[in-house]
Amino acid sequence: MYKDILWNDGWQFCLTENGTLTVESADKEKFTDVEVPHDWLIGDTRDLYRSGDGWYRKSFTVTDEMLAGRFFVCFDGVYMDCTVYVNKKPAGDWKYGYSSFSFDITDYLDKGENTIYVLVRYKAPNSRWYSGAGIYRNVRLKIRNNEYIKENGVYISPRVENGVWNVYIEAEKNGGDKLIHTIVSADGEEIGSAEGMNCAIRVNDPKLWDIYEGNLYTLKSILYKGTEIIDVSENRFGFRTTEFDPQRGFVINGRSEKMHGVCMHHDLGALGAAMNEAALRRQLEILKSFGVNAVRTSHNMPARELVAMCEEMGILLDSECFDMWENAKTEYDYARFFPEWYKTDVAAWVRRDRNSPAVVMWSIGNEIGDTHASPRGLEVAKMLKEAVLEHDPKGNAICTIASNYMPWENAQKVADYLKQGGYNYAEHLYNEHHEKHPDWFIYGSETSSAVRSRGVYHLPASADILTHDDLQCSDMGNS
């Protein structure tokens, strides 16, 4: 018994003031039917940042046969600070709004009807951009036998050695007997297999994943109990080499290429933050038509759909995790939880996407004031890189940072430790720093931005003022 179910249907929603309801009293309120993914903030454009507690609930039926296995409820993203209850019993907490997570809810289930509740505590301000609020990404229910392949537990590292590709595989499972891995091409051909928790498959002349060439393969991992198949895990990957050479620049499959990148926030404009695959694909197709070949996920962990589309379209990803570390940028942002939760969130971030050929960089932060304020910034950078390498030890992607503090010493020490540094609005430093630090890979992580209020014009056009007295930004390009 193993199946994955898209679990977006049948949810109901209720919005209340912060702290006014408990799970015991929640059913006294009026709930309305909603579609998940759901962003409740976009429903009232006159009050886009209203604090509140969002309550979600969903009822489902469990049979005796189903209770013989394990149930995992998986959330791709809940913004933010949530608690999941099953039959009014707490099943788990999750703080960050951008990392994926799952809970084993088996022990909270009863035969017959069950109800899951999700409490989302949204307190503003918590972000420097529009965040949305609620269960804004997909939900899945995974039903497994008691012995199974662990979630995100298959790590794939293709390496070319002496002209031959070896696909190194590390797997994690809970019970079971033999574990067999088979590589399957896009047209369904099986091109190699191996058995074990740590093994390798040799592949001759695969199609390379490259910019605008989304050549993908699937590793199908099958767990047996005796001769019975008890679990199957399928993971996409690609064959490509990358180098970040301080002299040659970015090198993919042996040739130097310019990254023509954009920084993308996670929202979909007027549609809000709720995941919509058609809208996201439209964005990427328009960007690709402009010549874009790289995306930086500013400034948070991306939706799995974005990663999948970039894999298919041959677009490089600089996957970014945090906009703040220990020092807050807004009153209720993730800095409240960072010290206790960063390892958990980095694990969720890296383990989910470490097999993706599109992901070439793990950016551990954006414009982090901690790296400028004191030597503690370097200490935290080391902590984060160590956490990344714990889950991507073979370096499928490099560890980097995006900084607007590069003119100053403490941030430069972080760049010297990482050896890869993204410069925000600091093009004037490229040549100077390249000469001083010839071992650094220097790139422009953020080089321009425009903030404009449509149809609002402030004179003189030469006056460079971000926000005027009317709280609007001039549409003349002088903001």
Side-chain angles (χ1 to χ4, degrees), residues 394-434:
K394 295 186 183 298
N396 286 353
I398 65 164
C399 203
T400 185
I401 195 169
S403 180
N404 59 342
Y405 295 103
M406 288 302 189
W408 296 285
E409 181 182 7
N410 284 334
Q412 290 175 23
K413 288 179 179 178
V414 173
D416 193 49
Y417 165 69
L418 295 172
K419 301 302 182 185
Q420 287 88 216
Y423 284 54
N424 288 11
Y425 311 103
E427 297 94 317
H428 63 284
L429 295 175
Y430 292 172
N431 290 335
E432 175 189 340
H433 284 194
H434 179 59

Side-chain angles (χ1 to χ4, degrees), residues 160 165 207-211 213 215 239-243 248 250-257:
V160 62
W165 283 92
K207 292 182 179 179
L208 298 185
W209 189 93
D210 210 326
I211 294 173
E213 295 182 28
N215 295 315
F239 294 87
R240 52 96 171 132
T241 64
T242 55
E243 300 172 61
R248 298 177 62 196
F250 175 66
V251 180
I252 183 167
N253 297 330
R255 70 180 193 283
S256 297
E257 286 281 355

Side-chain angles (χ1 to χ4, degrees), residues 182-192 203 205-207 214-220 234-237 239:
T182 302
I183 296 175
V184 182
S185 68
D187 57 10
E189 179 186 1
E190 295 185 358
I191 61 173
V203 178
D205 197 27
K207 292 182 179 179
N215 295 315
L216 296 167
Y217 291 78
T218 299
L219 183 72
K220 187 175 184 179
E234 295 187 356
N235 293 275
R236 294 202 308 192
F237 72 100
F239 294 87

Side-chain angles (χ1 to χ4, degrees), residues 5-9 11 35-38 73-78 99-101 134-141 273-277 303-306 352:
I5 302 167
L6 186 62
W7 224 41
N8 288 344
D9 295 335
W11 289 91
E35 294 182 2
V36 169
H38 177 245
V73 60
C74 308
F75 295 90
D76 280 353
V78 179
S99 49
S100 302
F101 63 97
I135 305 176
Y136 72 104
R137 290 177 180 169
N138 288 312
V139 185
R140 293 172 178 82
L141 182 67
M275 168 49 56
N276 182 305
E277 291 190 44
R304 70 171 72 236
E305 290 81 4
L306 174 65
R352 194 195 72 184

Side-chain angles (χ1 to χ4, degrees), residues 49 79-80 122-129 131 323-337:
Y49 302 97
Y79 199 90
M80 63 179 290
Y122 181 88
K123 295 182 180 180
N126 59 58
S127 176
R128 299 187 302 123
W129 54 84
S131 63
D323 189 50
M324 72 294 294
W325 292 349
E326 294 175 336
N327 296 338
K329 293 182 178 179
T330 57
E331 184 176 359
Y332 296 108
D333 66 25
Y334 178 71
R336 293 180 290 160
F337 310 116

Side-chain angles (χ1 to χ4, degrees), residues 26-91:
D27 290 334
K28 297 177 183 179
E29 297 293 318
K30 182 181 179 180
F31 279 72
T32 58
D33 295 337
V34 293
E35 294 182 2
V36 169
H38 177 245
D39 169 13
W40 84 65
L41 286 184
I42 202 68
D44 184 359
T45 56
R46 297 165 300 177
D47 195 5
L48 282 177
Y49 302 97
R50 173 192 169 187
S51 296
D53 284 351
W55 285 88
Y56 294 85
R57 72 181 179 191
K58 174 185 173 75
S59 295
F60 58 103
T61 301
V62 176
T63 65
D64 269 338
E65 180 186 9
M66 294 165 70
L67 283 173
R70 309 300 300 179
F71 285 72
F72 300 88
V73 60
C74 308
F75 295 90
D76 280 353
V78 179
Y79 199 90
M80 63 179 290
D81 186 12
C82 72
T83 300
V84 176
Y85 302 89
V86 179
N87 296 326
K88 302 201 173 182
K89 299 173 185 176

Side-chain angles (χ1 to χ4, degrees), residues 212-282:
Y212 299 157
E213 295 182 28
N215 295 315
L216 296 167
Y217 291 78
T218 299
L219 183 72
K220 187 175 184 179
S221 304
I222 302 177
L223 180 63
Y224 289 85
K225 186 73 171 180
T227 59
E228 179 188 1
I229 296 175
I230 59 172
D231 199 6
V232 177
S233 176
E234 295 187 356
N235 293 275
R236 294 202 308 192
F237 72 100
F239 294 87
R240 52 96 171 132
T241 64
T242 55
E243 300 172 61
F244 294 81
D245 189 298
Q247 310 308 320
R248 298 177 62 196
F250 175 66
V251 180
I252 183 167
N253 297 330
R255 70 180 193 283
S256 297
E257 286 281 355
K258 288 286 188 183
M259 288 185 178
H260 301 292
V262 294
C263 299
M264 285 183 67
H265 283 284
H266 72 292
D267 67 278
L268 297 167
L271 299 182
M275 168 49 56
N276 182 305
E277 291 190 44
L280 179 59
R281 187 174 296 277
R282 174 180 176 272

